[in-house]
């Protein structure tokens, strides 16, 4: 997605009339780099969503509601103090830059009318949201930039806000200015780079789009491009400057989903295309799911690293334990060596480093070579082997227990890592962190359980045959769903030997059609570690054949009387069952 100056130009034209003269009714900061402004105007209430996340900075009108923290951040409270109840005077783009200026009129603490400005800079990792007074004195910003962080410009309370000059020409310039500006670039500069480095609002995407409408190519050096060819590029630009309420075009990749949203159609024949009446709708579709997914995974990044380290250590521990068990299985051999040494003490003397003796326990009476410690006498060497035998026999029992516990731990941690990839709501995260805190993997300060204990929110689908399908998205939900919600007559699904979610079909005592079984199995495969795989084995059985062993970790169950289906996770099918 190219959220460039040209796109912003038309997005502002679409949004401004709906916001200007409206009053700011609510302000929320769902994330440290996100803001929502609820604005009441003549056209009703509009919600302006702003993200300065370095990965996906953007703004749009939205109908989606985001969960807000119980305690609003400081910047949010500051904006509420200065802007709540204020009227929006203007919502405009600075030239064709990726900078928006929102002029806001309200009353100060003394009841006097005062104008403030909210500057939104959409500039990748440098994106920011800055509140200033009318004279551009900075009140505060969502990201403070000190001199240590930038030698070019600081963004700190009390400082002066100014825009870094770019020395580019406006896309509305005449053809002579356009050509002369490109001629001032380095002659060996590629045409595409020359365009977006010269003209304000251009991105590599838009520059290549213009070039594609001429006989030129993006990689042509500027000195090989004639003035006539540059003029054809300028001419190709003109229609893009006078569009009236352009629609939004969402282009997708058949395998990867949405890949581009723009105000002109850029898709090719094999790419799915969706056309929306407004650019805001297009942005909601493009960024909505990606933004939610990104935020969920960002919140879990540090925790995921800690769990992955614990998993890796447990995996290494299991290898060592199995090696020790293999050695322990040789305990009988050490006992034989000790007894053979005792039987042949009169043949031995101190200082020997090895001895070959006939093995009376071997059917063929073959000789066995026994290593000796030169520092010990024959009797002490025999005692040494008996001690090793006793130690290994004792260790063998402990090692079997430790291996079983470590394997269970690995399976549990693998389940947790899988569930981290499928979180969809803030509630999912809270439940997951609470579980990890109670299991001792993280400190409890990371897991703030709500003061009022609530039942888990179980994800619900409806099969094409009308049956309700329930999904547990973490281990606590899995236990709650299988052990408390489901009845003995319901059908239970889980990927075979693969970490994943418990899935339940509410049968109501009826026979389950084959299509519903397949759909439930597909959901189980989708909410598992095998989400990206094909022909995933999914076991299913009646809930009455599923039980939880005493002392088992959350989400761990055993089951019998199962059958297996092989399915391939299909996101489009899952989506259709959500809306069924």
């Amino acid at each position: 997605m190219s959220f460039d100056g040209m796109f912003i130009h038309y997005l502002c034209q679409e949004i401004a009339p709906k916001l200007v003269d409206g009053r700011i009714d609510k302000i929320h900061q769902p994330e440290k780099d996100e803001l929502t402004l609820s604005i009441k105007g003549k056209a009703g209430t509009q919600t302006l969503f702003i993200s300065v996340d370095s990965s996906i900075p953007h703004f749009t009108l939205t109908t989606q509601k985001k969960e807000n923290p119980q305690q609003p951040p400081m910047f949010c409270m500051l904006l509420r103090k200065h802007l709540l109840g204020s009227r929006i005077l203007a919502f405009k783009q600075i030239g064709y830059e990726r900078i928006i200026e929102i002029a806001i009129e309200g009353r100060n603490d003394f009841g006097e009318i005062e104008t403030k400005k909210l500057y939104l800079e959409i500039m990748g990792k440098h994106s920011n949201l800055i509140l200033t007074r009318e004279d551009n004195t900075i009140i505060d910003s969502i990201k403070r930039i000190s001199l240590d962080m930038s030698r070019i410009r600081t963004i700190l309370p009390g400082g002066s806000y100014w825009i870094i000059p770019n020395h580019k020409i406006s896309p509305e310039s005449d053809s002579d200015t356009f050509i002369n500006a490109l001629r001032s670039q380095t002659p060996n500069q590629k045409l595409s780079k020359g365009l977006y480095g010269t003209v304000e609002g251009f991105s590599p995407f838009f520059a290549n789009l213009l070039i594609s409408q001429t006989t030129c190519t993006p990689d042509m050096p500027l000195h090989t491009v004639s003035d006539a060819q540059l003029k054809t590029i300028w001419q190709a630009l003109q229609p893009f400057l006078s569009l009236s309420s352009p629609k939004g075009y969402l282009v997708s990749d058949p395998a990867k989903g949405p890949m581009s949203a723009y105000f002109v159609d850029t898709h090719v024949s094999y790419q799915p295309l969706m056309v929306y009446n407004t650019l805001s709708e297009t942005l909601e579709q493009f960024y909505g799911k990606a933004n939610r997914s990104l935020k969920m995974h960002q919140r879990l990044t540090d925790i995921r690293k800690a769990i992955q380290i614990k998993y890796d250590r447990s995996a290494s521990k299991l290898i060592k334990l199995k090696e020790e068990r293999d050695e322990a299985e040789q305990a009988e051999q050490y006992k034989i060596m000790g007894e053979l040494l005792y039987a042949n003490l009169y043949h031995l003397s101190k200082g020997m480093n090895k001895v070959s003796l006939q093995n009376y326990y071997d059917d063929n009476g073959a000789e066995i070579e026994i290593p000796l410690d030169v520092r010990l006498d024959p009797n002490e060497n025999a005692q040494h082997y008996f001690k090793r035998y006793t130690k290994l026999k004792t260790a063998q029992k402990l090692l079997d227990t430790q291996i079983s516990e470590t394997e269970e731990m690995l399976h549990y941690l693998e389940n947790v890592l899988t569930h981290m990839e499928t979180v969809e709501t803030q509630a999912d995260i809270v439940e997951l962190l609470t579980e990890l805190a109670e299991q001792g993997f993280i400190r409890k300060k990371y897991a703030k359980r709500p003061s009022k204990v609530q039942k888990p929110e179980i994800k619900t689908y409806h099969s094409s045959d009308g049956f309700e399908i329930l999904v547990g998205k973490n281990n606590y939900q899995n236990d709650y769903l299988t052990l408390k919600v489901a009845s003995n007559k319901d059908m239970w699904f889980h990927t075979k030997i693969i970490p994943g979610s418990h899935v339940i079909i509410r049968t109501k005592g009826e026979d389950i059609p084959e299509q519903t079984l397949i759909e439930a199995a597909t959901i189980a495969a989708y909410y598992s570690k095998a989400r990206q795989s094909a022909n995933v084995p999914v076991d299913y059985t009646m809930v009455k054949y599923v039980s939880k062993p005493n002392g088992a970790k959350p989400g761990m169950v055993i089951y019998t009387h199962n059958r297996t289906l092989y399915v391939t996770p299909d996101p489009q099918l899952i989506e259709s069952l959500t809306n069924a």
Side-chain angles (χ1 to χ4, degrees):
M1 162 82 198
S2 183
F3 201 84
D4 57 27
M6 295 299 297
F7 186 94
I8 291 172
H9 174 73
Y10 286 110
L11 183 58
C12 286
Q13 284 189 8
E14 174 185 298
I15 288 178
K18 299 177 182 179
L19 302 184
V20 173
D21 286 331
R23 291 195 177 275
I24 300 174
D25 181 52
K26 295 177 183 177
I27 301 175
H28 294 290
Q29 191 176 347
E31 305 284 347
K32 64 178 182 179
D33 47 18
E34 291 181 357
L35 196 76
T36 59
L37 301 177
S38 181
I39 301 160
K40 286 187 175 180
K42 294 178 182 178
T45 301
Q46 306 287 340
T47 300
L48 175 65
F49 175 78
I50 297 170
S51 170
V52 291
D53 185 292
S54 59
S55 303
I56 47 175
H58 68 285
F59 67 94
T60 184
L61 294 182
T62 183
T63 56
Q64 297 178 357
K65 293 184 178 180
K66 299 203 67 174
E67 295 178 73
N68 298 302
Q70 294 181 350
Q71 181 65 38
M74 291 297 295
F75 185 68
C76 179
M77 294 195 290
L78 178 85
L79 291 182
R80 289 176 180 178
K81 173 186 174 183
H82 286 276
L83 303 183
L84 275 181
S86 299
R87 183 169 66 94
I88 294 181
L89 299 177
F91 187 98
K92 64 180 183 180
Q93 181 182 18
I94 305 297
Y96 278 81
E97 276 280 22
R98 291 172 294 165
I99 302 175
I100 308 302
E101 179 189 305
I102 309 173
I104 304 166
E105 182 185 75
R107 293 188 180 276
N108 60 22
D109 294 338
F110 302 102
E112 301 168 337
I113 293 177
E114 187 177 41
T115 299
K116 297 185 178 72
K117 297 176 183 177
L118 199 57
Y119 286 98
L120 169 59
E121 299 182 340
I122 305 292
M123 299 179 180
K125 67 179 181 180
H126 303 294
S127 298
N128 209 342
L129 187 63
I130 304 118
L131 177 66
T132 75
R133 301 194 183 278
E134 190 173 11
D135 63 358
N136 283 342
T137 300
I138 298 171
I139 298 174
D140 210 342
S141 60
I142 201 166
K143 299 177 184 176
R144 292 184 179 181
I145 309 298
S146 65
L147 192 60
D148 293 337
M149 300 166 69
S150 172
R151 296 182 179 180
I152 299 174
R153 183 186 65 163
T154 59
I155 302 291
L156 295 170
S160 181
Y161 174 78
W162 54 280
I163 297 171
I164 301 172
N166 60 25
H167 307 295
K168 294 182 180 181
I169 64 168
S170 168
E172 298 176 4
S173 301
D174 58 42
S175 59
D176 290 339
T177 304
F178 182 86
I179 293 170
N180 291 335
L182 284 166
R183 288 291 177 227
S184 67
Q185 295 286 315
T186 306
N188 290 327
Q189 184 80 273
K190 292 180 179 179
L191 176 58
S192 175
K193 190 171 183 179
L195 279 173
Y196 67 77
T198 301
V199 186
E200 194 175 60
F202 278 27
S203 62
F205 180 84
F206 187 72
N208 289 337
L209 176 64
L210 282 184
I211 295 169
S212 69
Q213 301 188 28
T214 69
T215 58
C216 302
T217 60
D219 293 334
M220 289 177 66
L222 273 171
H223 72 271
T224 66
V225 184
S226 68
D227 286 357
Q229 288 174 311
L230 290 178
K231 188 163 186 178
T232 61
I233 296 174
W234 178 84
Q235 289 170 340
L237 168 64
Q238 300 316 299
F240 291 108
L241 300 176
S242 55
L243 297 175
S244 177
S245 303
K247 295 180 183 294
Y249 298 87
L250 181 63
V251 180
S252 299
D253 182 282
K256 299 179 181 178
M259 57 178 288
S260 172
Y262 214 53
F263 62 93
V264 291
D265 183 4
T266 59
H267 89 294
V268 292
S269 58
Y270 70 89
Q271 294 174 324
L273 173 69
M274 294 292 291
V275 183
Y276 297 91
N277 289 326
T278 66
L279 299 180
S280 290
E281 287 180 85
T282 314
L283 290 174
E284 255 197 314
Q285 293 299 318
F286 182 82
Y287 283 117
K289 189 173 181 180
N291 186 54
R292 287 195 303 274
S293 177
L294 177 67
K295 292 303 176 185
M296 294 298 161
H297 291 293
Q298 282 179 343
R299 289 177 197 156
L300 292 172
T301 297
D302 292 340
I303 305 300
R304 186 185 291 106
K305 286 180 181 177
I307 298 301
Q308 186 64 55
I309 289 172
K310 180 70 175 176
Y311 179 87
D312 293 341
R313 287 176 178 171
S314 295
S316 298
K317 178 182 177 181
L318 182 62
I319 292 172
K320 291 179 181 178
L321 288 173
K322 287 184 175 180
E323 289 175 351
E324 290 177 14
R325 186 178 63 180
D326 291 341
E327 183 182 359
E329 289 174 352
Q330 304 298 319
E332 289 298 328
Q333 187 73 359
Y334 292 128
K335 180 182 178 183
I336 291 171
M337 289 181 177
E339 290 180 348
L340 291 176
L341 288 176
Y342 264 135
N344 292 276
L345 286 177
Y346 61 93
H347 288 311
L348 308 175
S349 60
K350 187 176 181 179
M352 298 175 66
N353 63 358
K354 62 181 178 179
V355 63
S356 292
L357 300 173
Q358 184 180 4
N359 186 359
Y360 305 120
Y361 298 94
D362 185 77
D363 292 338
N364 299 319
E367 286 198 346
I368 180 174
E369 186 175 278
I370 303 175
L372 301 175
D373 188 334
V374 295
R375 297 168 298 178
L376 306 178
D377 63 31
N379 185 60
E380 289 172 332
N381 269 299
Q383 286 293 330
H384 170 71
Y385 279 108
F386 279 121
K387 287 178 182 178
R388 290 191 70 178
Y389 163 75
T390 304
K391 181 179 179 181
L392 289 177
K393 287 297 287 185
T394 304
Q396 197 167 15
K397 298 176 182 177
L398 295 174
L399 286 168
D400 287 338
T401 302
Q402 288 179 344
I403 286 172
S404 177
E405 290 174 350
T406 305
E407 287 176 336
E408 183 181 344
M409 175 67 72
L410 278 171
H411 184 66
Y412 173 74
L413 294 174
E414 198 171 12
N415 253 313
V416 169
L417 291 169
T418 299
H419 293 317
M420 283 185 177
E421 299 301 320
T422 59
V423 292
E424 295 176 346
T425 67
Q426 178 66 25
D428 291 342
I429 291 178
V430 171
E431 289 174 356
L432 187 58
L433 296 185
T434 301
E435 174 191 335
L436 292 174
E438 291 180 357
Q439 293 296 314
F441 292 107
I442 61 174
R443 286 178 289 178
K444 291 192 176 182
K445 73 171 189 175
Y446 288 109
K448 299 179 180 178
R449 183 184 285 277
S451 54
K452 184 178 180 181
V453 178
Q454 299 177 345
K455 293 180 180 179
E457 296 178 7
I458 301 298
K459 184 85 172 178
T460 303
Y461 293 93
H462 291 87
S463 76
S464 55
D465 297 305
F467 287 85
E468 194 174 52
I469 302 175
L470 307 178
V471 183
K473 291 181 293 177
N474 55 54
N475 289 315
Y476 276 173
Q477 287 189 16
N478 286 342
D479 279 351
Y480 176 74
L481 177 60
T482 301
L483 305 176
K484 295 185 178 181
V485 174
S487 73
N488 284 339
K489 296 180 181 179
D490 291 338
M491 194 69 73
W492 181 89
F493 292 75
H494 193 281
T495 43
K496 190 180 189 72
I497 322 177
I498 299 172
S501 295
H502 294 196
V503 174
I504 296 290
I505 298 178
R506 304 301 292 267
T507 66
K508 299 180 181 178
E510 300 176 18
D511 292 333
I512 305 299
E514 184 180 357
Q515 182 59 31
T516 294
L517 291 175
I518 293 172
E519 289 168 353
T522 302
I523 291 172
Y526 181 78
Y527 284 98
S528 76
K529 188 177 181 181
R531 175 180 283 198
Q532 305 297 329
S533 304
N535 293 322
V536 180
V538 178
D539 286 343
Y540 67 100
T541 187
M542 299 291 287
V543 170
K544 66 181 180 180
Y545 298 124
V546 182
S547 61
K548 187 176 184 69
N550 290 332
K553 289 191 175 294
M556 308 292 282
V557 295
I558 56 177
Y559 57 92
T560 58
H561 297 76
N562 58 288
R563 295 182 178 180
T564 305
L565 286 171
Y566 290 84
V567 295
T568 298
D570 183 350
Q572 292 183 341
L573 173 62
I574 305 295
E575 186 69 25
S576 69
L577 298 178
T578 304
N579 302 320

